[in-house]
Amino acid sequence: MVRFVNVHNLARWAADTGIENILRDLVAAMEHDFRRWPVFDKTPRVASHSEHGVIELMPTSDGETYGFKFVNGHPINSTRGLQTVTAFGALADVDTGYPLMLSEMTLLTALRTAATSAMAAKVLAPAHASVMGMIGSGAQSEFQALAFRANLGIETLRVFDTDPAAMTKFERNATALGFDVTICRSAEEAITGAHIVTTCTADKRNATVLTDEMVRSTEASRGPRRGLHINAIGGDCPGKTELDIELVKRASTFVEFPEQSFIEGEIQFLPHDWPITELWQVLTGERPGRQSDDELTVFDSVGFAIEDFCALRFLNESITGTDYYDEIDLVAEPADPKNLFGELLGSTLATDTSDVAGAAIDQLRQLVPLAGS
Amino acid sequence: MVRFVNVHNLARWAADTGIENILRDLVAAMEHDFRRWPVFDKTPRVASHSEHGVIELMPTSDGETYGFKFVNGHPINSTRGLQTVTAFGALADVDTGYPLMLSEMTLLTALRTAATSAMAAKVLAPAHASVMGMIGSGAQSEFQALAFRANLGIETLRVFDTDPAAMTKFERNATALGFDVTICRSAEEAITGAHIVTTCTADKRNATVLTDEMVRSTEASRGPRRGLHINAIGGDCPGKTELDIELVKRASTFVEFPEQSFIEGEIQFLPHDWPITELWQVLTGERPGRQSDDELTVFDSVGFAIEDFCALRFLNESITGTDYYDEIDLVAEPADPKNLFGELLGSTLATDTSDVAGAAIDQLRQLVPLAGS
């Protein structure tokens, strides 16, 4: 039997465990996996693009466990009362190839995306960062806020979204969660005084939610300790970006998996030899993260399979011995694997095999000294 | 809610509907999809190889519906009481990106593999073929037999397997299904007098279950109408082949998707400009299938995503209005998609938001004429 975590059970697990506890422990688990980055099988996700969106498969393996996620990205869905992103995924045992766990991953992706952002910010954000500007207050925004509070102590949020209802929703949720929230009239206002800027919008186009000029003016207002970290989440497929490319060019830019980021990230406009740093190398200590108080850093996040793998493994370990999952009959398990037909479809075999046929079979069996294996 | 077809329900559906009925209708559905081959998104499967096997994802889309299969191939499993191949898969709506159906696919893959073989044989086997030689009598063998009876009227089977228990199992099942079965002492004996030869073994190595010499001797014994069709199923990944390459070189060879077949099929030893025919072009009439009574044809089958897509769609249509599926809670569906957090994890929001905070929020709301969308 295969474990199955449905939406209801995942939400129950998350609420009972505590979102911030999960986001803290998930960052630790992800740091562990990023530090052993070279052991993973890595491939850019396999994307199927259509007029209104994309459907992707994101597989990886650490040699012991295999994981993959199915995920869609349909910005138009937000105008239809549907979710922009939905996902589910599975873990399998590499040695046998058998699936182990199937899980909803819409919520789990929200958690892993926020944990990845916080993991990056821990090594990239200015020391003593306390204010985060947020451009976009959609489905991912509360998770980002909680991940930054749990891992960096951020309590003060300045938010802007072109959709007033989304801002009201965020303000209500984040205030109830105990954040100090300021609703802003523009992206520029939202980043004023911020040490960290998170961009998380869903437009499927090359947008510029943050211009170089806006960021320069924020930096200038901060004086000598002008360092800023931009956590860029929303640009994650070809033709879908959020930042002024001039901003990326002058920043120290960190990515997950360059082969994928040069296709999908903010850096899709830059030549493939553009100097970027792979985040995992910062975590192993091979490369520096933030180097000074006045540095501009960008985490050009597109989401990578290892993050989903990590979230699935974290979930699978966390639910062991609990009732947060069901067991489903996903894999046929005949006692004699070569008799898949007979064991599963035995009822379709004629039951009245005549004695004549039976005798003929017995005779054949004696006549034929079967070849050895 | 998403439809879920578990192993029990798929077996029940198959047994109730009748395997041969399914195999006949599935061939028709597959012919339809092969004739519209150019509309599909095609990509070689994404394989993760390990010491003992491989785990693969096989996605495709026809622009309206997206499908993918997770499948493993672990030849070593047969020595562990486990299945060599297990699979599951899903369909999704391209327009919204939402999953529609999740299904076990171990049994379904067995059905689609057999249907694909029969579809190819309908255009490649010699006219009036009545005898099939089968090398390998594992989990796929009964499905092959039934597909060839349902679609080509084959009733006479000559079988050889290096595992005597697998032959006994096949003999028992196939005899109960009404076939005339001859157990043979060698591959050579099994192909004697056969018009069609199906090779379906599971060794993960470059084996030669059929030599050119064996086939030449069978052809010679048949006289002028010496035509033979080889349905080569088992060679399906790099380093796993079944045929003497000389045999493939002198045959007219047909494949599913050349980009994948040159990596995984019998043709993996041939240069990529080797003349092969894509099966779909035979179905549309663009290219000939069998051209003469004395031709040697090979269907170098590795299994392609469009076949799985077709099987999933066929299943999804067939179970509509029945009780062969459950509905599962795989996709989070908040009424307000941007409030994923609040709607799914609302219980984690502090419920005692103080009046002070509430008043502050109301005040803010009045102060900020929110920017238009």
Side-chain angles (χ1 to χ4, degrees), chain A residues 4 8-9 12-13 16 318-326:
Chain A
F4 171 51
H8 172 72
N9 279 330
R12 206 161 57 85
W13 165 76
D16 293 353
S318 178
I319 62 173
T320 298
T322 71
D323 66 350
Y324 295 121
Y325 64 93
D326 301 310

Side-chain angles (χ1 to χ4, degrees), chain B residues 248-249 251 253 255 258-259 261-263 267-278 287:
Chain B
V248 182
K249 282 185 179 171
T253 301
V255 303
E259 286 85 334
S261 303
F262 276 112
I263 297 171
I267 60 172
Q268 63 189 257
F269 300 114
L270 298 178
H272 288 203
D273 59 354
W274 191 267
I276 45 90
T277 303
E278 295 184 50
R287 299 282 300 271

